[in-house]
Short mmCIF file of all heavy atoms in Angstrom, two decimals:
data_model
loop_
_atom_site.label_atom_id
_atom_site.label_comp_id
_atom_site.label_asym_id
_atom_site.label_seq_id
_atom_site.Cartn_x
_atom_site.Cartn_y
_atom_site.Cartn_z
N THR A 33 -9.90 10.05 -9.42
CA THR A 33 -10.88 10.86 -8.71
C THR A 33 -11.80 11.50 -9.74
O THR A 33 -11.46 11.61 -10.91
CB THR A 33 -10.19 11.95 -7.86
OG1 THR A 33 -9.20 12.58 -8.66
CG2 THR A 33 -9.55 11.37 -6.63
N GLU A 47 -18.44 13.44 -0.02
CA GLU A 47 -18.32 14.57 -0.92
C GLU A 47 -17.36 15.61 -0.38
O GLU A 47 -17.40 15.98 0.79
CB GLU A 47 -19.70 15.20 -1.14
CG GLU A 47 -19.70 16.09 -2.37
CD GLU A 47 -21.03 16.79 -2.56
OE1 GLU A 47 -22.08 16.18 -2.28
OE2 GLU A 47 -21.02 17.95 -2.98
N ASP A 48 -16.51 16.03 -1.27
CA ASP A 48 -15.56 17.09 -0.96
C ASP A 48 -16.33 18.42 -0.97
O ASP A 48 -16.93 18.77 -1.98
CB ASP A 48 -14.48 17.07 -2.06
CG ASP A 48 -13.37 18.07 -1.82
OD1 ASP A 48 -13.67 19.18 -1.33
OD2 ASP A 48 -12.23 17.76 -2.13
N PRO A 49 -16.36 19.13 0.16
CA PRO A 49 -17.15 20.37 0.23
C PRO A 49 -16.58 21.51 -0.61
O PRO A 49 -17.25 22.50 -0.84
CB PRO A 49 -17.15 20.72 1.73
CG PRO A 49 -15.94 20.04 2.28
CD PRO A 49 -15.70 18.82 1.44
N VAL A 50 -15.35 21.35 -1.05
CA VAL A 50 -14.71 22.42 -1.82
C VAL A 50 -14.98 22.27 -3.31
O VAL A 50 -15.50 23.16 -3.96
CB VAL A 50 -13.19 22.47 -1.54
CG1 VAL A 50 -12.51 23.55 -2.36
CG2 VAL A 50 -12.94 22.72 -0.06
N CYS A 51 -14.63 21.11 -3.86
CA CYS A 51 -14.78 20.91 -5.30
C CYS A 51 -15.93 19.97 -5.63
O CYS A 51 -16.20 19.70 -6.79
CB CYS A 51 -13.48 20.38 -5.90
SG CYS A 51 -13.06 18.71 -5.36
N HIS A 52 -16.64 19.48 -4.61
CA HIS A 52 -17.80 18.61 -4.76
C HIS A 52 -17.51 17.33 -5.54
O HIS A 52 -18.33 16.86 -6.31
CB HIS A 52 -18.96 19.38 -5.38
CG HIS A 52 -19.35 20.57 -4.56
ND1 HIS A 52 -20.11 20.46 -3.41
CD2 HIS A 52 -19.02 21.88 -4.67
CE1 HIS A 52 -20.25 21.67 -2.89
NE2 HIS A 52 -19.61 22.54 -3.63
N THR A 53 -16.32 16.81 -5.33
CA THR A 53 -15.96 15.53 -5.93
C THR A 53 -16.29 14.42 -4.95
O THR A 53 -16.10 14.58 -3.75
CB THR A 53 -14.44 15.51 -6.25
OG1 THR A 53 -14.14 16.57 -7.14
CG2 THR A 53 -14.04 14.19 -6.88
N LEU A 54 -16.80 13.31 -5.47
CA LEU A 54 -17.07 12.17 -4.61
C LEU A 54 -15.80 11.34 -4.49
O LEU A 54 -15.23 10.92 -5.48
CB LEU A 54 -18.20 11.33 -5.19
CG LEU A 54 -19.57 12.00 -5.14
CD1 LEU A 54 -20.58 11.17 -5.93
CD2 LEU A 54 -20.06 12.21 -3.73
N VAL A 55 -15.37 11.13 -3.26
CA VAL A 55 -14.15 10.37 -3.01
C VAL A 55 -14.44 9.21 -2.06
O VAL A 55 -15.22 9.36 -1.13
CB VAL A 55 -13.02 11.22 -2.38
CG1 VAL A 55 -11.93 11.48 -3.36
CG2 VAL A 55 -13.53 12.50 -1.78
N TYR A 71 -14.45 15.66 4.60
CA TYR A 71 -13.59 14.82 3.77
C TYR A 71 -13.20 15.58 2.50
O TYR A 71 -14.02 16.26 1.90
CB TYR A 71 -14.31 13.53 3.41
CG TYR A 71 -14.65 12.70 4.62
CD1 TYR A 71 -15.88 12.82 5.24
CD2 TYR A 71 -13.72 11.80 5.15
CE1 TYR A 71 -16.19 12.08 6.37
CE2 TYR A 71 -14.02 11.06 6.28
CZ TYR A 71 -15.27 11.20 6.89
OH TYR A 71 -15.57 10.46 8.00
N PHE A 72 -11.94 15.37 2.12
CA PHE A 72 -11.42 16.09 0.96
C PHE A 72 -10.70 15.15 -0.01
O PHE A 72 -10.10 14.16 0.42
CB PHE A 72 -10.46 17.20 1.40
CG PHE A 72 -11.09 18.15 2.38
CD1 PHE A 72 -11.02 17.90 3.74
CD2 PHE A 72 -11.79 19.24 1.93
CE1 PHE A 72 -11.62 18.76 4.65
CE2 PHE A 72 -12.40 20.11 2.83
CZ PHE A 72 -12.31 19.86 4.19
N CYS A 73 -10.75 15.51 -1.29
CA CYS A 73 -10.12 14.67 -2.29
C CYS A 73 -8.61 14.85 -2.29
O CYS A 73 -7.86 13.94 -2.62
CB CYS A 73 -10.68 14.98 -3.68
SG CYS A 73 -10.15 16.56 -4.35
N CYS A 74 -8.16 16.03 -1.92
CA CYS A 74 -6.73 16.30 -1.92
C CYS A 74 -6.40 17.37 -0.89
O CYS A 74 -7.29 18.04 -0.36
CB CYS A 74 -6.26 16.72 -3.31
SG CYS A 74 -7.08 18.20 -3.89
N GLU A 75 -5.11 17.51 -0.64
CA GLU A 75 -4.68 18.46 0.38
C GLU A 75 -5.00 19.90 0.00
O GLU A 75 -5.24 20.75 0.85
CB GLU A 75 -3.16 18.31 0.60
CG GLU A 75 -2.75 18.64 2.03
CD GLU A 75 -1.24 18.52 2.21
OE1 GLU A 75 -0.67 17.52 1.78
OE2 GLU A 75 -0.66 19.44 2.78
N LYS A 76 -5.00 20.14 -1.30
CA LYS A 76 -5.29 21.48 -1.79
C LYS A 76 -6.68 21.94 -1.36
O LYS A 76 -6.87 23.06 -0.90
CB LYS A 76 -5.21 21.46 -3.33
CG LYS A 76 -4.74 22.78 -3.92
CD LYS A 76 -4.56 22.64 -5.40
CE LYS A 76 -5.58 23.49 -6.12
NZ LYS A 76 -5.53 23.31 -7.58
N CYS A 77 -7.63 21.02 -1.48
CA CYS A 77 -9.00 21.34 -1.09
C CYS A 77 -9.10 21.54 0.42
O CYS A 77 -9.80 22.42 0.89
CB CYS A 77 -9.95 20.24 -1.55
SG CYS A 77 -10.17 20.22 -3.32
N LEU A 78 -8.39 20.68 1.16
CA LEU A 78 -8.39 20.78 2.62
C LEU A 78 -7.91 22.15 3.07
O LEU A 78 -8.52 22.80 3.90
CB LEU A 78 -7.50 19.68 3.19
CG LEU A 78 -7.57 19.40 4.69
CD1 LEU A 78 -7.29 17.92 4.95
CD2 LEU A 78 -6.60 20.24 5.49
ZN1 LIG B 1 -11.37 18.45 -3.89
#
Side-chain angles (χ1 to χ4, degrees):
T33 46
E47 197 183 323
D48 184 323
V50 179
C51 68
H52 301 282
T53 301
L54 291 171
V55 252
Y71 298 93
F72 304 90
C73 72
C74 60
E75 210 181 313
K76 211 175 113 185
C77 289
L78 192 149

